[in-house]
Amino acid sequence: TFFLDPFMQENYRLDSILGVCDAKHLMSQLSEVRAKSCVNEASEQVAFSDRLLLTKTDLCTEMEITGVVEHLRHLNPFAKVLPMNLKDLEQPIPVDQLCDVRAFSLDKALEFDATFLEDDDHQHDSAIQALGVKLHGALSQEKLNLFFGEVLKRYPKEMYRMKGILDVKGIDERYVFHAVNCHFGGTPQGHFEAARESKAVFIGKGIDHVWLIERLRDCFTDPKSGVLESNVKAAHA
């Protein structure tokens, strides 16, 4: 409703979504079994967040903190994890990293953990997962329009976040896109710093990743020469 209300749009800006995570108990909350028709609320909140404030780190060992951070990173490679504890008086709350984030700016579509693609098949939550892809080869703008239309039609509420950069044939600049549920934005923005390639991350609940990857493959101007990499082994069998 925030995005749709004219008064709110004119007078306010949604800066970012902040998730607060209890480092000591988070792993048990994320793995808690729900009824088949229900989603794990903790996982859903992590998936939507732009910043994750990790509290009570003073109650955890370094190994426990590392495990929690890795779990969060694979569930949501968009979000920046900020560990802290209130007992450490020399380490202030990172207010500068929590405010004026402008997470919904298309500039931020380029910010996600690139190492996410290097790890295969991390199945932390049976419902909510993140798919990371890299595509080598030019993409068709017409096919991309059809692809995003199909995704939003098939998963209007289940696809939580999408963002990335695309190498679109006929466009010299990178095509940057960013979506939250059905609210999609995209525009040519900035030149490729190195070789032209596309990369994107999709976070959602109950998403058929094999279907998504196959539809993305169809978006190459030349599907036979285009190469797609992802963190889902099943899609490349």
Side-chain angles (χ1 to χ4, degrees):
T1 56
F2 181 94
F3 291 99
L4 300 178
D5 187 286
F7 176 82
M8 297 294 286
Q9 285 185 340
E10 184 177 345
N11 294 279
Y12 298 93
R13 168 174 59 84
L14 180 58
D15 183 62
S16 63
I17 299 173
L18 172 65
V20 180
C21 304
D22 180 334
K24 189 65 178 177
H25 304 101
L26 181 66
M27 297 296 275
S28 61
Q29 293 170 342
L30 292 175
S31 61
E32 186 175 346
V33 178
R34 296 288 197 274
K36 195 170 183 179
S37 60
C38 299
V39 69
N40 184 306
E41 293 88 350
S43 295
E44 190 173 57
Q45 290 169 16
V46 169
F48 268 114
S49 295
D50 300 291
R51 293 289 185 273
L52 292 167
L53 194 59
L54 194 60
T55 64
K56 300 184 181 178
T57 55
D58 54 303
L59 302 179
C60 303
T61 65
E62 287 297 323
M63 184 176 295
E64 287 175 327
I65 295 173
T66 298
V68 171
V69 172
E70 288 183 354
H71 197 137
L72 293 172
R73 182 172 66 88
H74 288 292
L75 190 57
N76 184 349
F78 297 152
K80 185 172 185 178
V81 181
L82 303 170
M84 63 160 291
N85 73 78
L86 296 179
K87 290 186 177 180
D88 188 353
L89 300 180
E90 296 182 2
Q91 183 69 30
I93 297 175
V95 176
D96 59 323
Q97 298 186 62
L98 299 176
C99 299
D100 201 27
V101 174
R102 298 179 182 269
F104 295 92
S105 164
L106 287 175
D107 293 328
K108 301 297 181 178
L110 309 181
E111 295 184 0
F112 60 84
D113 192 340
T115 62
F116 172 71
L117 286 171
E118 298 172 5
D119 301 299
D120 294 325
D121 285 342
H122 285 265
Q123 305 291 337
H124 294 300
D125 184 274
S126 59
I128 300 174
Q129 295 178 24
L131 167 69
V133 296
K134 283 185 180 179
L135 301 98
H136 307 277
L139 303 171
S140 162
Q141 185 172 11
E142 182 179 355
K143 292 178 179 179
L144 284 170
N145 289 339
L146 291 173
F147 165 75
F148 285 118
E150 287 182 12
V151 171
L152 296 176
K153 182 177 180 180
R154 181 166 177 165
Y155 300 114
K157 295 182 179 179
E158 296 84 359
M159 185 63 78
Y160 298 151
R161 307 291 293 270
M162 300 188 289
K163 65 166 117 175
I165 59 174
L166 302 174
D167 171 14
V168 181
K169 184 178 180 180
I171 300 178
D172 292 334
E173 296 178 295
R174 303 172 298 186
Y175 185 85
V176 181
F177 75 92
H178 190 176
V180 180
N181 282 147
C182 287
H183 304 284
F184 183 95
T187 185
Q189 185 171 303
H191 294 284
F192 287 90
E193 296 177 359
R196 294 177 67 97
E197 69 172 10
S198 304
K199 60 180 181 178
V201 175
F202 304 83
I203 301 177
K205 176 183 68 176
I207 306 298
D208 184 344
H209 288 165
V210 175
W211 173 84
L212 199 68
I213 287 171
E214 288 303 316
R215 296 300 297 119
L216 267 174
R217 279 201 180 100
D218 291 339
C219 293
F220 284 114
T221 55
D222 182 2
K224 292 183 179 180
S225 64
V227 177
L228 187 151
E229 304 173 54
S230 81
N231 61 315
V232 179
K233 287 181 179 178
H236 305 276

